């Protein structure tokens, strides 16, 4: 009989949790009603091919949903939370223990931030200014978690970064002495 | 090479492409231009070019040649170039790419940059795609930033630390001291980051968890402040002050309170307060309440609090918002085992959700309803489930039928109810039931002996109404074959009897036989049923004979074989037909299937209850019918004395003193339901022959037994005749045999048995 190393009983649930190395939110996708991707943020390292497959699965699943359905889905071992805003679907993939209602609030907050920044945001804004959409997202989420819960603070940070960028560009276009 | 157009211009051009091919052409041209630009010296357009490449990448085109450009731009001193460079790194570089290591140094430098916005870029990128190696390298920097920086950087450093801990769990120890002190910060962003970090640390290390239990009072205070504070515009969402932070604190309290009385006690009041004070009219409030409920159910809370939590879930069930109904049911599902009674109180609402339009809600309601079935509510709940079955979406039907059957089996208040329920399911959704349903139902019907008349009437009516549902048709055929005489009698206590003639019944069976809708198995049932009726009807036996002979040349091999055997039963073995097609005994669910030659001693014991019920089954055989005796009894061939006592316990000791295995020769009892047993093995429900081989040294499998048909099935009384049954024994190993023979028979309506042991066989016999 092989010797089994003694493991303290108290550690057992933690050893099970150890395998839970994945992030709570795995990805965030924005896509149009035709299934065109407008933004993708991945919070775990996944090969490119896999990303494409997941994106395809998400768009197929979400676009097939009837208008007044529940905003929650199950896909493999993840919870999918999605919401449609005008012509864009906001879709995120979460671990099974996450709070779906809070995820809905999170998606809504992101939309509000975009709306504040662009002023009555529409899909075209996000298409032509996708890098700004990312910059805003990066002030709101970090590593898949909410980093700032105040709309005001996020808006101010993005503004300030934009100012810094403009200043740099102005500086750049000044003639060298 | 002309300078490529600006980013937005390029996007416009790409979108203007009318075909996929045109788009590809544009993109190829642009990529070529971008590549050329990358190769050139710095000309101030690098960030634009990378941005264009990132757009192309999002459309699904390859962009790996931009990876080195990201590295270069990150190292640039210009903020706009760093910004796009880091964005590119997050999109194009993940830890699996070699190039990702090259940015470690830049990140390190930028973490100490004078501008907090540059620091922020580095923190964000590290927290998004940092590999384990990068994390190990930079962890001390992050720890430094956790302690001494402004809140803008601290909150980002906290989440960056979370990522590091996920990648390299051992580094958790490094961050523990700093995270503890972060709890005293006032800034919501920092507080939120701290709570997330502490949660992560506690989930991974039990010692850290122990440590942070001491922080429970502090967390409770923070939470109270959020719940009771006045309107705070900056963090307010629909009347809830910072729901994101509240939910994270509740989750941390859940982890700290799990399996710990002290910690759980400390948060009891808080949870009650949150539960009662949170307005759940909007999603934000519901999210907080939901997290509260989950926390209450997970820690060691007082029973009053648990009831409150379940009531909140019950209230959620009535909410107009479909999402809230859905998560309420998923939560109730988790606790239905542990808090069964509390969930039962909301059964009515749950059952109403079966009628919801949304498929996800319906599915949850079904799961929950099935979990709530109990002996008390079985009748009313089953009505709802059957109603649901008639209109449920096709993907849920199989699950619903099997759930209904399980529930019916466990809690059926009466056999009649049970049979009615199964029949209802078969009529509504017979195409979606599992294969075992047919034999299970037949077994149930045989045990419900008082209901045979009722059952056959119901099934006959169902059969003449519709023959498309195979499972229902199979059971109906079997029943009509078995109990057709009850149908023809024209009287029934439990239900309105039908007035049918023999021809009507045979018509029904023939319709099934000839219909294109009937599967081969179904036709087999119908043919056997027709055959069985030959002993239950009086006038139309010729019709049955002709049906059977027609199918003797049927193209389906199974039907052909049956028909040929039945033909033989009519011709050569007509004297045995009545006995062969007798009413079947009650099928015991646990009796062995097709054990011809091997069985454990336990099988004998299982036969006992079936034997007992033989006395209840209406026997068709005339009185005085006595079955054959084995002539191995030698001199003791006198007719058996009728003995009124039925000693079923005698079976037990015999098999246990046997020593060796028991050979079970009762092929009849284990016949599949729709096959007639072959002549020679069983001659009727009352005939049993047990033979035990007493041996110690060899497996009985080496001895083969073959029983021939008995010469008759009635022994006249007073020794005026005898019946012979030959048994052939093949004993290739020529070992000595001892045999115990037991015979069961009926005499004047009593079932009797007799036992004889044969200790030696004449040696020339081998």
């Amino acid at each position: 009989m092989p010797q089994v190393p003694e493991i303290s009983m108290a550690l057992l649930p933690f050893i099970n949790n150890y395998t839970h190395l994945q992030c709570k939110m795995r990805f965030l996708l924005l896509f149009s009603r035709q299934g065109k991707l407008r933004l993708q943020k991945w919070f775990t390292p996944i090969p490119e091919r896999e990303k494409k497959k997941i994106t395809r699965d998400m768009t197929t699943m979400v676009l097939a949903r009837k208008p007044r359905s529940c905003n929650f889905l199950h896909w493999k071992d993840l919870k999918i939370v999605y919401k449609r805003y005008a012509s864009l679907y906001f879709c995120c993939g979460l671990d099974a223990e996450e709070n779906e209602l809070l995820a809905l609030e999170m998606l809504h907050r992101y939309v509000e931030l975009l709306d504040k920044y662009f002023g009555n945001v529409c899909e075209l804004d996000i298409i032509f200014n996708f890098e700004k959409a990312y910059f805003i997202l990066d002030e709101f989420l970090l590593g898949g978690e909410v980093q700032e819960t105040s709309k005001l603070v996020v808006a101010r940070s993005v503004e300030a970064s934009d100012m810094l960028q403009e200043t740099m560009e102005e500086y750049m276009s000044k003639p060298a002495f | 090479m002309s300078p490529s157009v600006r980013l937005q211009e390029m996007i416009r051009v790409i979108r203007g492409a009318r075909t996929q091919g045109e788009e590809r052409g544009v993109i190829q041209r642009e990529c070529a231009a971008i590549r050329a630009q990358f190769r050139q010296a710095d000309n101030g357009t690098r960030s634009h070019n990378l941005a264009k490449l990132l757009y192309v990448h999002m459309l699904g085109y390859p962009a790996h040649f931009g990876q080195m450009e990201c590295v270069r731009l990150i190292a640039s001193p210009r903020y706009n170039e760093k910004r796009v460079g880091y964005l590119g790194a997050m999109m194009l570089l993940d830890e699996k790419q070699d190039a990702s290591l090259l940015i470690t140094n830049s990140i390190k430098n930028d973490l100490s940059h004078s501008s907090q916005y540059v620091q922020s870029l580095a923190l964000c990128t590290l927290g998004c795609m940092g590999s384990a190696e990068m994390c190990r390298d930079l962890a001390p920097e992050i720890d430094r930033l956790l302690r001494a920086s402004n809140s803008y950087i601290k909150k980002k450093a906290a989440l960056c630390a979370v990522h590091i801990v996920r990648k390299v769990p051992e580094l958790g120890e490094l961050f523990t001291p700093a995270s503890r002190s972060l709890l005293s910060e006032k800034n919501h962003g920092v507080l939120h980051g701290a709570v997330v970090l502490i949660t992560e640390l506690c989930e991974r290390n039990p010692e850290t968890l122990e440590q942070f239990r001491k922080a429970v009072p502090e967390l409770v205070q923070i939470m109270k402040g959020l719940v009771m504070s006045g309107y705070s515009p900056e963090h307010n969402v629909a009347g809830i002050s910072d729901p994101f932070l509240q939910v994270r604190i509740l989750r941390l309290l859940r982890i700290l309170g799990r399996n710990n009385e002290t910690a759980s006690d400390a948060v009891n009041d808080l949870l009650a307060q949150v539960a009662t004070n949170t307005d759940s009219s909007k999603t934000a409030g519901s999210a907080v309440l939901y997290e509260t409920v989950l926390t209450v159910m997970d820690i060691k809370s007082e029973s009053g609090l648990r009831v409150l939590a379940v009531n909140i879930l019950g209230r959620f069930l009535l909410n107009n918002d479909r999402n809230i109904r859905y998560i309420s049911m998923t939560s109730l599902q988790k606790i239905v085992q542990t808090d069964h009674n509390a969930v039962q109180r909301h059964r009515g609402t749950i059952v109403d959700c079966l009628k919801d339009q949304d498929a996800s809600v319906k599915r949850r309601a079904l799961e929950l309803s099935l979990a709530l079935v109990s002996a008390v509510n079985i009748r009313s709940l089953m009505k709802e489930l059957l109603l649901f079955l008639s209109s449920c979406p096709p993907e849920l039907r199989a699950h619903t039928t099997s759930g209904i059957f399980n529930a019916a089996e466990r809690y059926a208040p009466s056999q009649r109810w049970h049979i009615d329920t199964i029949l209802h399911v078969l009529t509504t959704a017979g195409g979606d039931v599992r294969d075992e349903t047919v034999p299970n139902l037949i077994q149930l019907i045989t045990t419900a002996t008082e209901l045979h008349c009722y059952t056959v009437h119901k099934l006959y009516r169902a059969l003449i109404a519709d023959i498309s549902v195979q499972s229902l048709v199979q059971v109906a055929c079997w029943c009509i074959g078995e109990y057709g005489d009850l149908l023809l009698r024209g009287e029934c206590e439990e239900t309105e009897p039908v007035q049918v003639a023999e021809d009507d019944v045979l018509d029904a069976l023939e319709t099934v036989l000839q219909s294109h809708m009937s599967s081969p198995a179904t036709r087999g049932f119908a043919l056997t049923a027709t055959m069985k009726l030959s002993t239950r009807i009086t006038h139309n036996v010729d019709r049955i004979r002709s049906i059977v002979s027609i199918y003797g040349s049927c193209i389906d091999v199974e039907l052909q074989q049956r028909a040929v055997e039945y033909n033989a039963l009519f011709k050569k073995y007509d004297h045995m037909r009545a006995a062969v097609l007798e009413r079947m005994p009650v099928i015991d669910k646990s009796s062995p299937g097709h054990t011809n030659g091997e069985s454990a001693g336990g099988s004998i014991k299982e036969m006992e209850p079936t034997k007992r019920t033989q006395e209840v089954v209406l026997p068709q055989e005339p009185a005085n019918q006595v079955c054959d005796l084995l002539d191995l009894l030698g001199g003791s061939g006198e007719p058996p004395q009728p003995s009124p006592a039925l000693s079923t316990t005698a079976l037990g000791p015999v098999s246990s003193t046997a020593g060796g295995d028991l050979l079970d020769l009762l092929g009849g009892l284990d016949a599949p339901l729709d096959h007639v047993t072959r002549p020679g093995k069983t001659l009727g429900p009352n005939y049993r022959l047990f033979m035990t081989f007493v041996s110690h040294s060899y497996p009985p499998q080496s001895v083969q037994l073959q029983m021939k048909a008995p010469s008759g099935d009635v022994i006249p009384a007073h020794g005026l005749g005898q019946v012979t049954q030959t048994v052939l024994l093949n004993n290739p190993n020529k070992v000595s045999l001892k045999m115990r023979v037991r015979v069961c028979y009926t005499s004047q309506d009593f079932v009797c048995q007799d036992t004889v042991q044969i200790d030696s066989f004449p040696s020339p016999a081998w």
Side-chain angles (χ1 to χ4, degrees):
Chain A
M1 186 80 137
Q3 268 298 88
V4 176
E6 237 198 19
I7 301 172
S8 155
M9 283 306 286
L11 272 179
L12 277 174
F14 293 91
I15 286 173
N16 288 337
N17 274 344
Y18 241 52
T19 56
H20 171 74
L21 284 176
Q22 292 285 19
C23 186
K24 301 266 169 36
M25 179 169 9
R26 309 286 183 92
F27 55 81
L28 174 66
L29 303 172
L30 266 68
F31 47 86
S32 71
R33 294 214 336 252
Q34 288 77 41
K36 295 218 108 142
L37 197 60
R38 299 299 178 207
L39 187 144
Q40 51 173 333
K41 190 81 182 177
W42 300 88
F43 298 109
T44 49
I46 295 181
E48 197 65 43
R49 199 175 44 233
E50 184 86 19
K51 283 184 196 169
K52 288 207 168 115
K53 180 174 187 311
I54 296 177
T55 310
R56 257 200 320 270
D57 285 350
M58 289 302 116
T59 46
T60 319
M61 255 190 355
V62 169
L63 291 174
R65 296 282 280 179
K66 290 205 262 295
R68 270 187 296 277
S69 310
C70 181
N71 293 98
F72 310 134
L73 286 170
H74 268 278
W75 182 80
K76 303 204 175 160
D77 59 335
L78 298 181
K79 285 185 186 169
I80 308 296
V81 176
Y82 75 94
K83 187 129 194 236
R84 180 169 154 209
Y85 289 90
S87 61
L88 270 183
Y89 284 89
F90 287 66
C91 168
C92 61
L94 312 166
D95 262 353
E97 311 96 55
E98 288 301 292
N99 184 325
E100 301 100 308
L101 293 175
L102 195 71
L104 267 184
E105 280 300 306
M106 186 267 304
L107 290 176
H108 190 74
R109 173 60 63 91
Y110 183 45
V111 173
E112 284 179 322
L113 292 169
L114 289 170
D115 195 52
K116 183 98 200 299
Y117 184 83
F118 288 108
N120 272 332
V121 67
C122 63
E123 190 183 344
L124 281 178
D125 290 322
I126 299 184
I127 294 171
F128 282 97
N129 300 284
F130 72 94
E131 79 277 20
K132 300 272 171 48
Y134 275 101
F135 295 151
I136 296 169
L137 186 62
D138 288 339
E139 286 295 329
F140 176 46
L141 302 177
L142 204 161
E145 304 282 351
V146 170
Q147 71 176 271
E148 179 54 66
T149 56
S150 157
K151 270 189 279 191
L152 199 57
V153 174
V154 175
R156 276 202 214 122
S157 315
V158 179
E159 249 178 67
S161 314
D162 282 350
M163 285 285 284
L164 193 56
Q165 179 159 336
E166 273 175 34
T167 319
M168 281 289 162
E169 288 181 349
E170 268 176 32
Y171 175 77
M172 288 277 306
S173 60
K174 271 191 192 151
F177 295 139
Chain B
M1 175 73 68
S2 63
S4 53
V5 295
R6 291 171 49 84
L7 168 65
Q8 296 196 339
E9 189 53 41
M10 183 196 81
I11 296 178
R12 205 164 288 130
V13 171
I14 292 176
R15 284 170 60 79
R18 276 159 303 182
T19 65
Q20 185 75 13
E22 211 180 306
E23 182 184 282
R24 233 174 307 158
V26 172
I27 286 176
Q28 265 171 359
R29 274 197 306 279
E30 285 297 330
C31 285
I34 291 168
R35 249 192 289 242
Q37 295 275 340
F38 283 169
R39 272 183 249 124
Q40 283 180 12
D42 179 11
N43 56 8
T45 60
R46 284 159 66 198
S47 56
H48 293 304
N49 287 321
L50 184 59
K52 278 193 261 183
L53 185 59
L54 295 180
Y55 180 80
V56 161
H57 174 250
M58 189 151 59
L59 290 179
Y61 295 89
H64 43 268
F65 59 88
Q67 286 175 4
M68 283 315 291
E69 194 64 15
C70 294
V71 177
R72 253 176 257 134
L73 283 177
I74 286 172
S76 154
R78 299 179 195 137
Y79 178 70
N80 59 331
E81 292 186 341
K82 269 194 203 289
R83 216 180 183 195
V84 177
Y86 275 117
L87 179 63
M90 285 192 273
M91 284 175 75
L92 301 180
L93 295 174
D94 60 34
E95 59 183 44
K96 298 199 169 68
Q97 316 291 341
D98 298 327
S100 62
L101 281 176
L102 298 172
I103 63 173
T104 314
N105 214 33
S106 300
I107 294 183
K108 192 175 200 159
N109 292 334
D110 285 340
L111 283 175
S112 343
H113 202 277
S114 49
S115 163
Q116 65 176 11
Y117 298 106
V118 173
Q119 284 179 302
S120 153
L121 290 175
L123 283 166
C124 192
T125 308
L126 182 61
C128 176
M129 48 74 72
S131 66
E133 211 175 304
M134 287 162 74
C135 289
R136 259 187 268 262
D137 257 344
L138 300 167
E141 270 303 299
I142 305 299
D143 186 49
R144 189 182 61 80
L145 290 173
L146 269 182
R147 295 167 196 276
S149 56
N150 59 25
S151 29
Y152 180 70
I153 295 300
K154 266 190 192 159
K155 74 187 184 199
K156 293 178 191 258
L159 291 180
C160 202
V162 170
H163 175 85
I164 291 176
V165 171
R166 284 177 185 158
K167 279 275 181 257
V168 189
E170 306 88 65
L171 288 172
E173 282 173 18
L174 174 64
F175 298 119
T176 308
S179 51
R180 182 72 181 82
S181 48
L182 284 176
L183 275 184
S184 34
E185 296 267 339
K186 294 287 166 239
N187 179 290
H188 280 227
V190 178
L191 212 44
H192 186 275
V195 171
V196 175
L197 178 55
I198 294 171
T199 309
E200 196 69 35
L201 294 171
C202 291
E203 275 179 336
R204 289 173 192 283
N205 190 325
E207 280 149 23
T208 317
L209 176 63
E210 204 48 59
Q211 240 180 309
F212 275 105
R213 283 219 177 95
K214 303 193 197 94
V216 166
E218 205 173 333
L219 289 163
V220 168
Q221 275 309 110
I222 298 171
M223 190 69 191
K224 274 207 175 111
L226 288 171
V227 173
M228 304 307 286
S229 69
Y231 181 72
S232 148
E234 198 177 335
H235 300 106
N236 183 69
V237 181
I240 311 292
S241 182
D242 207 339
F244 299 102
L245 183 56
Q246 288 197 27
V247 166
R248 291 318 301 239
I249 294 179
L250 285 169
R251 192 169 311 165
L252 179 54
L253 289 173
R254 188 181 350 162
I255 292 169
L256 296 174
R258 216 180 258 157
N259 297 324
N260 185 290
E261 293 275 354
T262 338
S264 300
D265 281 339
V267 303
N268 255 314
D269 284 342
L270 170 71
L271 294 173
Q273 206 173 17
V274 177
T276 35
N277 283 333
T278 306
D279 170 23
S280 63
S281 52
K282 292 282 165 66
T283 312
S286 304
V288 174
L289 268 184
Y290 177 40
E291 195 72 32
T292 313
V293 167
L294 292 178
T295 305
V296 167
M297 302 316 287
D298 211 6
I299 65 175
K300 292 181 177 303
S301 33
E302 308 167 341
S303 58
L305 197 52
R306 288 181 89 89
V307 171
L308 178 60
V310 178
N311 286 345
I312 291 176
L313 291 178
R315 243 183 26 235
F316 276 179
L317 279 177
L318 299 165
N319 197 304
N320 281 329
D321 189 337
R322 193 163 270 139
N323 295 327
I324 295 181
R325 289 208 295 278
Y326 178 88
I327 56 117
S328 157
M329 284 196 277
T330 47
S331 316
L332 287 170
Q333 187 80 39
K334 285 190 203 133
I335 61 173
V336 72
Q337 301 302 332
T338 48
D339 296 74
H340 192 89
N341 291 332
V343 181
Q344 279 282 5
R345 259 178 247 134
H346 303 282
R347 195 179 70 240
T349 332
I350 293 170
V351 164
D352 280 339
C353 286
L354 284 171
K355 304 183 189 110
D356 196 296
Q357 299 294 327
D358 185 271
S360 313
V361 171
K362 270 207 201 3
R363 181 187 295 272
R364 293 272 150 236
L366 173 65
E367 294 281 359
L368 212 41
S369 304
L370 290 174
L372 285 176
V373 173
S374 73
V376 174
N377 60 35
I378 179 72
R379 279 187 198 266
S380 51
L381 198 45
M382 190 55 80
K383 275 202 205 95
E384 297 289 345
L385 287 170
L386 291 173
L387 198 59
F388 172 68
L389 184 63
S390 51
S391 59
C392 87
E395 62 269 12
L396 288 178
R397 288 182 124 202
H399 189 62
T400 314
T401 56
S402 62
I404 288 177
F405 287 154
N406 286 339
E409 188 157 324
R410 287 168 69 192
Y411 301 112
S414 73
Q415 282 184 319
R416 177 170 163 171
W417 181 94
H418 195 173
I419 290 175
D420 281 342
T421 305
I422 300 186
L423 290 181
H424 190 132
V425 172
L426 288 180
T427 334
T428 330
D432 294 294
V433 299
R434 279 207 300 261
D435 294 335
E436 310 89 76
T437 312
V438 169
N440 284 346
L441 178 56
I442 289 177
Q443 194 265 335
L444 178 63
I445 291 173
T446 57
T447 53
T449 43
E450 320 80 59
L451 294 170
H452 287 164
C453 189
Y454 167 74
T455 314
V456 72
H457 273 87
K458 273 202 89 155
L459 281 167
Y460 177 74
R461 287 202 175 95
L463 187 67
I464 52 179
D466 174 22
I467 60 168
S468 60
V469 181
Q470 298 304 298
S471 43
L472 189 57
V473 171
Q474 286 173 6
V475 179
C477 287
W478 187 90
C479 252
I480 292 173
E482 256 319 272
Y483 309 121
D485 48 313
L486 301 177
L487 190 62
L488 292 165
R489 229 186 268 171
E491 50 188 52
C492 181
E493 286 172 1
E494 311 265 354
T495 182
E496 181 80 28
V498 285
Q499 303 300 331
V500 285
E502 294 176 359
D503 267 323
D504 299 323
V505 179
L506 288 174
D507 281 342
L509 289 174
E510 249 194 304
T511 317
V512 174
L513 261 175
Q514 292 164 353
S515 165
H516 291 302
M517 286 192 278
S518 302
S519 72
T522 309
R523 295 169 85 198
F525 270 91
L527 187 61
T528 304
T530 310
M531 185 61 189
K532 282 191 201 170
L533 281 178
S534 71
T535 56
R536 286 147 174 79
I537 62 176
T538 43
H539 304 304
N540 268 331
V541 184
D542 280 333
R543 179 174 171 185
I544 294 181
R545 248 188 264 264
S546 67
I547 292 176
V548 159
S549 71
I550 289 172
Y551 277 87
S553 44
C554 174
I555 240 182
D556 181 301
V557 174
E558 171 70 29
L559 279 181
Q560 193 193 105
Q561 178 176 0
R562 289 187 192 207
V564 165
E565 289 180 358
Y566 298 159
N567 243 336
L569 202 52
F570 267 124
K571 299 204 165 60
K572 252 175 75 180
Y573 295 99
D574 200 40
H575 58 282
M576 293 172 56
R577 184 163 49 88
V580 169
L581 300 175
E582 276 283 296
R583 185 79 95 230
M584 288 203 90
V586 173
I587 301 147
D588 189 15
K589 250 195 174 151
S590 51
S591 63
H594 303 266
T595 58
N596 286 328
E598 354 167 327
S599 77
S603 66
I604 297 300
K605 296 192 186 64
E606 281 161 2
M607 299 308 175
E608 291 173 56
T610 64
K611 261 188 62 182
R612 236 188 303 249
T613 53
Q614 294 314 303
E615 301 163 298
V616 182
V617 165
L618 319 168
Q620 295 295 314
E621 70 274 25
N624 268 337
Q625 178 182 11
V626 174
C627 304
D628 299 331
L629 286 175
L630 201 60
D631 70 346
L632 282 174
L633 288 174
S636 56
E638 68 268 30
Q641 309 305 318
S643 55
L646 174 67
S647 50
T648 52
T649 53
L651 293 173
V654 171
S655 49
S656 56
T657 53
D661 291 17
L662 229 49
L663 276 184
D664 177 17
L665 303 173
L666 308 177
L669 264 196
D670 37 302
L673 304 161
D674 52 344
H675 280 325
V676 172
T677 60
R678 293 190 176 13
K681 285 274 178 72
T682 309
L683 300 181
N686 296 314
Y687 175 57
R688 298 279 177 280
L689 189 71
F690 292 79
M691 295 171 69
T692 318
F693 286 105
V694 183
S695 79
H696 301 288
S697 58
Y698 64 87
Q701 277 91 340
S702 72
V703 177
Q704 288 143 15
L705 218 113
Q706 190 191 354
M707 276 170 72
K708 300 255 184 219
S711 61
D713 53 10
V714 178
I715 297 184
H718 308 304
L720 292 175
Q722 67 176 25
V723 166
T724 308
Q725 181 172 21
T726 312
V727 176
L728 298 176
L729 272 174
N730 185 15
N731 185 3
N733 294 347
K734 296 205 191 316
V735 292
S736 68
L737 285 172
K738 283 187 193 174
M739 215 151 89
R740 194 170 285 146
V741 180
R742 190 183 319 131
V743 184
C744 302
Y745 52 86
T746 315
S747 168
Q748 291 176 349
D749 290 336
F750 289 110
V751 180
C752 320
Q753 63 172 19
D754 215 354
T755 311
V756 153
Q757 174 145 339
I758 302 145
D759 287 325
S760 64
F761 292 93
S763 43
W766 310 127

